[in-house]
């Protein structure tokens, strides 16, 4: 499939979220990526459900919610209530991942499982058939604007191989340090969805930057 682009709101101007979401609505972005952090699972705090619920009536793109929090299973109903399309939970934060994935899907949302840079893809061997998407972190989660971890390209290629070998159509999303150069290599390695925060929102022409990412 042609890859998708999901700008991450974390790098947007929070004083003018309405304008930022209107820009996303007008753009070629496929999804809007939303990063929720709790200051425990990651060393930073971002925004939570009040912000997502405020965006709900105005965001015309499917919401791709990335929970960087401990015990994400506690918040499945809250995420579903925001109208989210995809709920991503971290492998490292879920003791009963199989149960959590099933509970996410029961609400009608798609279920994504996220791996930190150090978490090997072989750990997905017995769950991948149940998940809609694997989100590979290509930076350590918690902040926008970090440097891309090179090894991620190889990780995408190996995950692509695992998915193809099993005859699945699980999507691969990559998050962190994505720009035109890293994005191209990720797409060539088999990524289906590119998340980009800084590269989109700090650019002088975000609409064109999204177009450029789509054209890779
Ligand atoms: C990082 C977040 C990312 C972040 C990416 O913890 O999960 O979604 O916004 O930002 P960039 O694209 O600037 O690396
Ligand atoms: Zn993210």
């Amino acid at each position: 499939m042609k890859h998708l682009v999901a700008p991450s709101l974390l790098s947007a101007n929070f004083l003018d979220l309405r304008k930022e979401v209107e820009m996303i609505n007008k753009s070629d972005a496929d999804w809007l990526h939303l990063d929720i952090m709790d200051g425990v699972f990651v060393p930073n705090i971002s925004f939570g459900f009040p912000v997502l619920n405020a965006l709900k009536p105005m965001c015309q793109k499917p919401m791709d919610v990335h929970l960087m929090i401990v015990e994400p299973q506690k918040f499945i109903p809250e995420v579903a209530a925001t109208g989210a399309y995809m709920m991503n939970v971290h492998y490292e934060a879920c003791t009963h991942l199989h149960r959590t994935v099933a509970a996410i899907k029961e609400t009608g949302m798609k279920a994504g499982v996220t791996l930190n840079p150090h978490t090997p893809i072989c750990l997905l061997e017995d769950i991948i058939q149940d998940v809609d998407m694997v989100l590979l972190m290509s930076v350590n989660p918690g902040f926008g604007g970090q440097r891309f971890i090179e090894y991620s390209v190889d990780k995408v290629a190996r995950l692509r191989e695992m998915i193809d070998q099993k005859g699945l159509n699980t999507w691969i999303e990559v998050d962190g340090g994505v720009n035109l150069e890293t994005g191209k290599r990720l797409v060539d390695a088999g990524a289906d969805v590119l998340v980009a925060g800084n590269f989109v929102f700090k650019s002088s022409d975000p609409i064109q930057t999204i177009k450029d990412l789509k054209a890779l």
Side-chain angles (χ1 to χ4, degrees), residues 64-135:
D64 176 33
V65 179
H66 176 194
L67 293 160
M68 284 159 273
I69 66 172
V70 297
E71 304 193 287
Q73 73 280 358
K74 285 186 180 168
F75 296 98
I76 294 171
E78 283 82 354
V79 177
T82 69
Y85 172 70
M86 174 79 70
M87 174 167 168
N88 297 284
V89 296
H90 268 259
Y91 177 92
E92 304 84 4
C94 297
T95 309
H96 301 287
L97 184 60
H98 184 271
R99 180 185 287 150
T100 301
V101 163
I104 293 171
K105 294 204 292 194
E106 245 165 60
T107 67
M109 291 186 288
K110 303 255 183 233
V113 170
T114 310
L115 300 188
N116 275 336
H118 73 278
T119 304
I121 57 164
C122 61
L123 292 173
L124 296 171
E125 196 69 51
D126 295 312
I127 187 79
I128 193 147
Q129 69 283 350
D130 295 314
V131 313
D132 296 296
M133 187 170 84
V134 176
L135 168 51

Side-chain angles (χ1 to χ4, degrees), residues 3-6 138-139 145-150 153 174-188 191 193-201 203 209-216:
H3 68 274
L4 308 182
V5 171
S138 40
V139 297
Q146 300 183 83
R147 183 196 287 259
F148 182 77
I149 298 174
E150 282 298 322
V153 179
V174 189
D175 184 5
V178 170
N179 54 35
L180 293 182
E181 190 271 318
T182 55
K184 169 85 178 112
R185 288 191 285 136
L186 291 167
V187 168
D188 288 348
V193 190
L194 298 176
V195 175
N198 255 41
F199 189 63
V200 167
F201 284 98
S203 97
T209 302
I210 293 168
K211 222 187 255 296
D212 294 343
L213 283 167
K214 282 291 290 177
L216 287 177

